[in-house]
Amino acid sequence: MMLSLEDIRRAQARIKPYVLPTLLERAPGLGERCWLKLENTNQTHSFKVRGALNAVLSLDETARSRGIVAASSGNHAQGLAHAAFTAGIPAKILMPKHTPRRKIEGAKRYGAEVVLFGKTYDEAEAEGRRLEQVEQRTFISPYNDLNVIAGAGTIGLEIVEALPTVERVIVCVSGGGLIAGVAAAVKSLKSEIEVIGVNALSSPAMYNVFYQTHYPQNYDTLAEALSGDIEEGSVTIPLAQQYVDQIVLVTEDEIAAAIRWMVDDQGWMIEGGGAVGVAALLHDKVPHDGRVTAVVVSGGNVDGNTLRRVLNEGM
């Protein structure tokens, strides 16, 4: 087994001094038995800090002395910058040039060296992999890393502990690190829990893997945190295929409506990538069948200009 429940429990113990359990909040507007797992309430306002901390704190002294390098459209960058600051090691982060200013400043705030590179996440990742070889740093993938996945899996442990009657978990999907970890955790604890992944139509990589479709990437999206293809040979693919029951797609208009709904009905400011699970329920991509459902809201780092535009479009 590539990832065990014990791996996730060890990650939980490792990051416990730095990450508090996040709020699980009722969302009756989505259904009487629906709950939101609010990862936007984390330090750095994203779930990514969990996997970043677990990966960085797992490094040996030699790797720590050489520092780390990563590519990110924002949330992984901030999580790794925070983790590197916590561990006292140098970090270099490659971010696509379109990355929202808030996420760039968030990574810099923790002392990381931020390099804006390329038009897309895939270009930034390729440069990060090159620097891994040239500078002998440890590359920490936002998803294709078992320590990162185990860190994300701690969300699943918290959901089942706080909501033992849970029957379904809905998780956003990009490279698959979050859903692989959460699904492995909840299925290992209660195999009957259904796990549904949600891809933005603009970022359909895992949907394409599951259903042998060929939807293209569109990097002009509200869900920029989900943009990018899946690295060839990524461990997230077999993990997702083992533990995830289905993947659904949501459109840009549906994501925008979910962002507005979160502001108006729940009082939370969330980013497009974090809104896709809510969008799936709002627009009947997941049936309203009364099952106890937890939706992972992955992050709240929305750029102010983007938020104002989305809210104005709903007027």
Side-chain angles (χ1 to χ4, degrees):
M1 182 182 295
M2 285 187 296
L3 182 72
S4 69
L5 182 60
E6 284 310 304
D7 292 327
I8 300 171
R9 291 197 188 281
R10 280 192 291 270
Q12 186 177 47
R14 191 174 288 121
I15 69 176
K16 186 176 181 179
Y18 312 101
V19 178
L20 296 173
T22 51
L23 182 65
L24 191 66
E25 178 179 86
R26 289 194 63 203
L30 296 177
E32 290 185 6
R33 305 176 81 188
C34 286
W35 300 73
L36 302 177
K37 181 62 169 167
L38 294 169
E39 288 298 295
N40 55 304
T41 61
N42 262 319
Q43 185 94 1
T44 76
H45 298 187
S46 166
F47 81 96
K48 291 284 190 179
V49 70
R50 296 174 182 264
L53 276 166
N54 191 47
V56 167
L57 296 174
S58 299
L59 295 174
D60 60 30
E61 288 304 316
T62 300
R64 290 189 184 202
S65 67
R66 292 174 177 169
I68 60 173
V69 64
S72 171
S73 59
N75 287 329
H76 182 58
Q78 292 181 89
L80 266 184
H82 171 65
F85 176 81
T86 300
I89 65 174
K92 180 178 285 188
I93 313 291
L94 283 298
M95 304 177 83
K97 292 178 180 178
H98 67 79
T99 301
R101 179 189 56 79
R102 177 175 176 174
K103 295 182 178 182
I104 296 170
E105 296 303 318
K108 289 181 177 178
R109 190 176 302 127
Y110 291 105
E113 178 187 353
V114 174
V115 179
L116 298 181
F117 185 93
K119 295 180 180 179
T120 67
Y121 168 79
D122 296 331
E123 291 178 4
E125 183 180 72
E127 176 65 5
R129 287 294 191 182
R130 187 187 72 81
L131 291 176
E132 174 187 26
Q133 301 300 319
V134 172
E135 300 183 2
Q136 294 298 295
R137 293 173 182 254
T138 298
F139 183 88
I140 299 181
S141 170
Y143 59 92
N144 189 16
D145 182 303
L146 287 173
N147 286 319
V148 168
I149 296 168
T154 61
I155 297 167
L157 300 183
E158 290 178 15
I159 289 172
V160 176
E161 181 177 351
L163 189 65
T165 58
V166 65
E167 299 172 279
R168 177 168 57 206
V169 179
I170 300 174
V171 189
C172 64
V173 186
S174 178
L178 174 60
I179 197 167
V182 171
V186 301
K187 291 278 194 178
S188 296
L189 292 169
K190 293 179 65 177
S191 62
E192 65 272 22
I193 294 174
E194 183 183 26
V195 178
I196 298 177
V198 186
N199 266 140
L201 179 60
S202 61
S203 310
M206 192 66 78
Y207 186 92
N208 286 339
V209 169
F210 264 60
Y211 303 113
Q212 290 79 56
T213 51
H214 302 281
Y215 290 107
Q217 290 279 339
N218 178 5
Y219 291 92
D220 182 16
T221 172
L222 288 171
E224 84 285 334
L226 305 183
S227 291
D229 215 334
I230 302 175
E231 190 174 21
E232 185 176 353
S234 175
V235 296
T236 57
I237 292 175
L239 284 169
Q241 289 172 328
Q242 179 179 356
Y243 291 116
V244 177
D245 294 289
Q246 63 170 308
I247 308 281
V248 299
L249 294 171
V250 293
T251 67
E252 292 296 299
D253 286 345
E254 289 164 349
I255 294 169
I259 293 173
R260 291 191 290 268
W261 184 89
M262 283 293 289
V263 171
D264 292 337
D265 282 58
Q266 294 291 133
W268 292 105
M269 182 178 74
I270 64 169
E271 62 191 88
V276 296
V278 173
L281 280 171
L282 282 177
H283 296 92
D284 301 321
K285 304 300 175 71
V286 177
H288 294 269
D289 53 13
R291 301 176 71 192
V292 180
T293 299
V295 183
V296 178
V297 176
S298 59
N301 289 308
V302 61
D303 183 75
N305 288 333
T306 299
L307 181 62
R308 283 186 286 272
R309 174 171 57 84
V310 169
L311 295 179
N312 286 334
E313 286 172 354
M315 296 296 288

